[in-house]
Amino acid sequence: MSSVQSQQEQLSQSDPSPSPNSCSSFELIDMDAGSLYEPVSPHWFYCKIIDSKETWIPFNSEDSQQLEEAYSSGKGCNGRVVPTDGGRYDVHLGERMRYAVYWDELASEVRRCTWFYKGDKDNKYVPYSESFSQVLEPSFLFQRSEKKEKNPEKNFTDLFQDKLETKIIFFLISFIGEPLQIDHLVFVVHGIGPACDLRFRSIVQCVNDFRSVSLNLLQTHFKKAQENQQIGRVEFLPVNWHSPLHSTGVDVDLQRITLPSINRLRHFTNDTILDVFFYNSPTYCQTIVDTVASEMNRIYTLFLQRNPDFKGGVSIAGHSLGSLILFDILTNQKDSLGDIDSEKDSLNIVMDQGDTPTLEEDLKKLQLSEFFDIFEKEKVDKEALALCTDRDLQEIGIPLGPRKKILNYFSTRKNSMGIKRPAPQPASGANIPKESEFCSSSNTRNGDYLDVGIGQVSVKYPRLIYKPEIFFAFGSPIGMFLTVRGLKRIDPNYRFPTCKGFFNIYHPFDPVAYRIEPMVVPGVEFEPMLIPHHKGRKRMHLELREGLTRMSMDLKNNLLGSLRMAWKSFTRAPYPALQASETPEETEAEPESTSEKPSDVNTEETSVAVKEEVLPINVGMLNGGQRIDYVLQEKPIESFNEYLFALQSHLCYWESEDTVLLVLKEIYQTQGIFLDQPLQ
């Protein structure tokens, strides 16, 4: 006992001394003195700094068992590396440290834990160091045997004090692990700023939530497929571009010109909102797209090295500005052939010209109608005339004065419409159309609009080393940016060169989100697709709202019908005898007229019903012919005040079961696997 006590005194200098709160468990269970003692089974924990405090978090049961087996193998811990957390972290046993694999993160300490003490400031249990725990176990056994000999009838309620004597046993809580099989890989790109939600968490933490929701939904909505071992899980990996951008020294330059007043607000603006302006700058836009593409390529290569048996597909997801970055990168990809035309590379977005005047009307406007026959004879239309020079017009016989009028008129129109002559592609291979460049319209099927570039700044877009299957955009401003770039319409035949699917997912109160489908079908008004609730029905307040709408519509229709019947009776009152002498033709005509009137009354109701039904709306090939815009159902509390929950709505996607379920459903449909029960 003396040796044990001496060891304990030495270790007490570095570890807290045992207290009445000391235990090796999350649960306290009394045992009588006659109970048999069983040694505590170790469990592995790692330390995380949360809110400037150390928090010890247990590994899941599979990872802890794997670490214990490696520790007990007898091969030595030095140099032993054990992958944990689905392969996203490596534990170096010799160092007792945990390192992130795919992103930069501070390493965290790891412990093999058996004995714990409760902190003074909170109720969280903190593990003793491994060396101190090795002393506690034999010391506890010695004191247990000593006290049992003195008073065998007494219960043990404390470890080292005489007031209470009890045995506290460590019962380990089981933590569910992740399936080893990975069916699909999804890269997630964040928006502006380093924080991604209202709790100011990083993209890594938010994607962790997204992944956790995904694992839970797989167990509840893909249960049959899991039981049949058809599926494993979907891996979501974050992509960070904010840190590399702000490590270029731009923050120092901004600080020199930033005003000293309202310092916190200005710092927030420089760190978040200015990211939008950085992306519209050719210099920093190049940094951003290079970072995003190179990070996705690097992580994908590393993922394949660590998962050589992976045969699944890859998809990408972007939140807020991150979705616009991915949209521009996908737009400027090449297919696997590598030798496609620049016309197929560039996004065939069309600028709607409305009622475009004809060449004859333009000449009439310039009071030059007499020259229309000359242009018609030379087969010069408006597009050809826009490319003509002064010498060309002189050669076909147009006098000097009219030539100057025509050239000045079309030069002004070219500048206002952003049309220039097609420029040859640079030798570097960067076929990125500038905002003012005019792309060839040889593939244009509708002569009423022109194909133009998507208005990105002039940068060289890197190529991804894989073909994404689906692109998910959360709270995306893509539609707004395309419109601000001067683009009004997307060619229905356009599709990403290397990506088949595109889903624009948003919350109805999200102030940053915009629709895409109206740019493909500008002449038709229709609602976005309503994302089903993950529990299989609409939210109750939405059903109540629709029920009240239908009820008011029925009351309105019944009221109008009653008024019509009253008016009909009033107008027929002077001729009651005519009812008995109606001709067969009149008798047959009456049901027809009455049957038409209710249809008139129910026109609005019918239109509402038709609107609710899924009509065959052609929204182009951007999502393979499927719908593009998908809207979430707001929560009941959110419907009370749209403005109050606007900011929260933009950051709600990370923990939204409805969003995650839509992503899983679309991913697994590509593999022929469907939900256990289709949601409505």
Side-chain angles (χ1 to χ4, degrees):
M1 179 60 187
S2 59
S3 62
V4 174
Q5 289 178 343
S6 62
Q7 292 178 3
Q8 181 176 330
E9 290 175 358
Q10 295 176 0
L11 293 172
S12 63
Q13 298 177 359
S14 60
D15 286 276
S17 59
S19 68
N21 293 328
S22 298
C23 69
S24 55
S25 175
F26 293 120
E27 301 180 14
L28 309 183
I29 297 183
D30 294 335
M31 291 185 63
D32 57 48
S35 299
L36 295 177
Y37 174 77
E38 294 182 3
V40 175
S41 298
H43 196 87
W44 291 75
F45 282 66
Y46 63 93
C47 183
K48 292 283 289 186
I49 305 299
I50 301 177
D51 297 332
S52 301
K53 297 180 181 179
E54 288 188 355
T55 302
W56 286 89
I57 303 173
F59 287 95
N60 63 57
S61 56
E62 286 84 355
D63 287 345
S64 180
Q65 182 178 356
Q66 188 177 2
L67 289 168
E68 183 64 20
E69 290 175 354
Y71 172 82
S72 305
S73 62
K75 298 180 180 179
C77 294
N78 293 332
R80 295 294 301 273
V81 178
V82 179
T84 62
D85 300 274
R88 295 180 295 275
Y89 289 89
D90 282 343
V91 172
H92 293 236
L93 280 181
E95 303 176 24
R96 289 296 198 273
M97 298 296 289
R98 175 176 176 265
Y99 296 92
V101 174
Y102 298 107
W103 55 82
D104 292 332
E105 183 179 309
L106 291 176
S108 53
E109 183 184 353
V110 174
R111 285 183 184 177
R112 179 178 181 264
C113 305
T114 52
W115 289 89
F116 298 77
Y117 66 92
K118 188 179 292 185
D120 297 332
K121 298 181 180 179
D122 51 37
N123 292 325
K124 295 180 180 179
Y125 286 96
V126 180
Y128 286 110
S129 66
E130 294 183 35
S131 56
F132 194 79
S133 296
Q134 291 175 0
V135 174
L136 285 178
E137 188 74 18
S139 187
F140 167 74
L141 288 175
F142 179 83
Q143 292 214 5
R144 181 179 186 272
S145 60
E146 286 287 318
K147 293 186 177 183
K148 182 177 180 181
E149 291 178 1
K150 293 179 181 179
N151 191 353
E153 301 297 330
K154 208 172 187 183
N155 291 337
F156 298 105
T157 28
D158 195 4
L159 298 178
F160 298 96
Q161 297 185 7
D162 296 331
K163 296 180 181 179
L164 298 175
E165 301 175 356
T166 243
K167 166 78 190 298
I168 304 175
I169 301 182
F170 178 47
F171 283 91
L172 185 63
I173 300 176
S174 296
F175 296 93
I176 298 173
E178 302 178 26
L180 296 178
Q181 176 184 333
I182 300 177
D183 305 317
H184 203 87
L185 176 63
V186 180
F187 294 113
V188 184
V189 180
H190 65 84
I192 62 173
C196 297
D197 67 356
L198 293 177
R199 288 175 281 176
F200 298 99
R201 297 186 305 165
S202 67
I203 179 63
V204 173
Q205 295 170 305
C206 291
V207 172
N208 286 344
D209 276 352
F210 202 89
R211 188 186 305 108
S212 298
V213 174
S214 167
L215 292 172
N216 292 333
L217 290 174
L218 286 175
Q219 295 177 2
T220 57
H221 291 71
F222 293 87
K223 189 175 181 180
K224 294 180 180 178
Q226 278 197 336
E227 291 176 350
N228 296 331
Q229 298 183 348
Q230 294 177 288
I231 63 172
R233 63 183 174 93
V234 177
E235 178 63 282
F236 297 90
L237 296 179
V239 177
N240 181 16
W241 57 265
H242 181 270
S243 299
L245 170 65
H246 288 263
S247 63
T248 59
V250 65
D251 288 352
V252 178
D253 298 334
L254 284 173
Q255 190 60 36
R256 290 200 299 264
I257 61 176
T258 301
L259 300 181
S261 59
I262 53 175
N263 182 55
R264 291 185 179 180
L265 180 58
R266 295 187 192 277
H267 175 74
F268 173 79
T269 301
N270 291 349
D271 207 29
T272 56
I273 299 176
L274 287 189
D275 286 349
V276 178
F277 297 94
F278 285 139
Y279 189 66
N280 287 311
S281 161
T283 301
Y284 296 106
C285 180
Q286 187 70 65
T287 301
I288 293 174
V289 297
D290 284 346
T291 301
V292 172
S294 62
E295 272 295 284
M296 290 196 294
N297 288 341
R298 179 189 67 84
I299 296 174
Y300 180 68
T301 303
L302 181 58
F303 178 83
L304 292 183
Q305 292 175 357
R306 296 175 63 91
N307 300 273
D309 297 330
F310 176 72
K311 303 297 181 182
V314 183
S315 293
I316 56 178
H319 176 242
S320 189
L321 182 63
S323 64
L324 177 66
I325 298 170
L326 292 176
F327 183 89
D328 290 343
I329 291 176
L330 288 179
T331 296
N332 292 276
Q333 294 297 296
K334 291 183 178 180
D335 64 10
S336 58
L337 297 179
D339 57 353
I340 54 178
D341 286 340
S342 60
E343 291 176 358
K344 295 180 181 179
D345 269 353
S346 61
L347 173 60
N348 297 324
I349 298 182
V350 296
M351 180 180 292
D352 190 7
Q353 303 299 331
D355 297 328
T356 307
T358 62
L359 176 60
E360 185 176 8
E361 292 172 343
D362 285 336
L363 293 175
K364 184 178 181 180
K365 189 180 193 180
L366 297 173
Q367 297 181 349
L368 300 174
S369 300
E370 64 268 26
F371 299 105
F372 176 72
D373 293 336
I374 297 178
F375 290 118
E376 189 176 29
K377 180 181 178 180
E378 296 292 335
K379 297 183 179 180
V380 176
D381 56 9
K382 289 183 64 173
E383 184 179 345
L385 187 56
L387 301 175
C388 288
T389 63
D390 183 83
R391 184 181 182 86
D392 296 329
L393 296 178
Q394 184 179 2
E395 288 179 355
I396 63 175
I398 307 298
L400 177 61
R403 290 203 308 269
K404 295 300 182 184
K405 283 186 178 182
I406 293 172
L407 291 174
N408 180 67
Y409 176 75
F410 280 93
S411 175
T412 304
R413 286 186 59 82
K414 281 191 292 184
N415 292 333
S416 63
M417 294 169 55
I419 300 177
K420 289 185 179 180
R421 296 182 182 182
Q425 293 297 330
S428 61
N431 56 356
I432 312 306
K434 296 182 180 180
E435 183 168 352
S436 58
E437 286 181 339
F438 168 68
C439 298
S440 173
S441 59
S442 59
N443 292 333
T444 304
R445 298 185 179 182
N446 189 343
D448 295 336
Y449 57 79
L450 302 173
D451 293 344
V452 299
I454 65 172
Q456 303 130 299
V457 294
S458 180
V459 298
K460 183 177 180 180
Y461 285 86
R463 185 174 180 180
L464 301 177
I465 60 176
Y466 55 86
K467 286 186 175 183
E469 293 192 6
I470 306 176
F471 168 34
F472 299 99
F474 306 140
S476 172
I478 293 174
M480 179 271 290
F481 271 85
L482 293 181
T483 302
V484 169
R485 289 170 177 175
L487 310 171
K488 295 184 178 180
R489 195 173 175 192
I490 299 176
D491 189 341
N493 296 316
Y494 174 74
R495 63 180 68 191
F496 293 123
T498 59
C499 184
K500 300 177 181 178
F502 176 36
F503 290 85
N504 182 38
I505 303 169
Y506 61 92
H507 190 283
F509 303 156
D510 189 338
V512 180
Y514 290 81
R515 292 192 63 183
I516 298 293
E517 291 174 339
M519 298 189 70
V520 183
V521 192
V524 181
E525 293 186 5
F526 54 95
E527 297 295 325
M529 292 292 290
L530 186 67
I531 298 177
H533 192 267
H534 65 282
K535 292 185 178 179
R537 57 177 296 171
K538 288 185 179 179
R539 294 186 183 271
M540 189 167 294
H541 71 286
L542 296 180
E543 291 185 342
L544 179 61
R545 183 190 305 170
E546 293 178 359
L548 292 175
T549 302
R550 286 193 294 266
M551 184 184 300
S552 62
M553 194 67 64
D554 292 341
L555 291 174
K556 178 182 177 181
N557 294 336
N558 292 336
L559 178 60
L560 292 176
S562 301
L563 290 175
R564 279 193 173 86
M565 292 299 295
W567 176 253
K568 180 179 177 181
S569 302
F570 174 76
T571 54
R572 289 196 175 195
Y575 312 101
L578 292 178
Q579 295 180 2
S581 61
E582 286 178 345
T583 62
E585 291 79 5
E586 292 174 339
T587 306
E588 294 176 0
E590 183 65 25
E592 295 178 1
S593 62
T594 57
S595 63
E596 291 175 357
K597 291 180 181 178
S599 64
D600 295 337
V601 176
N602 296 334
T603 300
E604 187 174 357
E605 182 182 9
T606 304
S607 63
V608 174
V610 171
K611 189 179 293 186
E612 291 180 353
E613 295 177 359
V614 180
L615 298 177
I617 301 174
N618 182 12
V619 292
M621 299 305 296
L622 196 54
N623 190 25
Q626 301 182 61
R627 295 291 301 273
I628 301 172
D629 293 336
Y630 287 78
V631 61
L632 291 166
Q633 302 178 37
E634 71 272 17
K635 298 178 181 178
I637 192 174
E638 294 173 341
S639 60
F640 285 107
N641 192 321
E642 299 178 1
Y643 296 94
L644 183 62
F645 294 94
L647 180 59
Q648 177 179 328
S649 300
H650 183 58
L651 305 172
C652 73
Y653 306 99
W654 308 116
E655 299 177 359
S656 169
E657 293 93 341
D658 299 349
T659 301
V660 178
L661 186 58
L662 176 62
V663 171
L664 294 177
K665 180 175 74 72
E666 295 301 328
I667 286 176
Y668 278 111
Q669 277 185 1
T670 62
Q671 303 178 16
I673 298 174
F674 303 91
L675 294 170
D676 291 343
Q677 294 181 354
L679 300 180
Q680 297 178 352

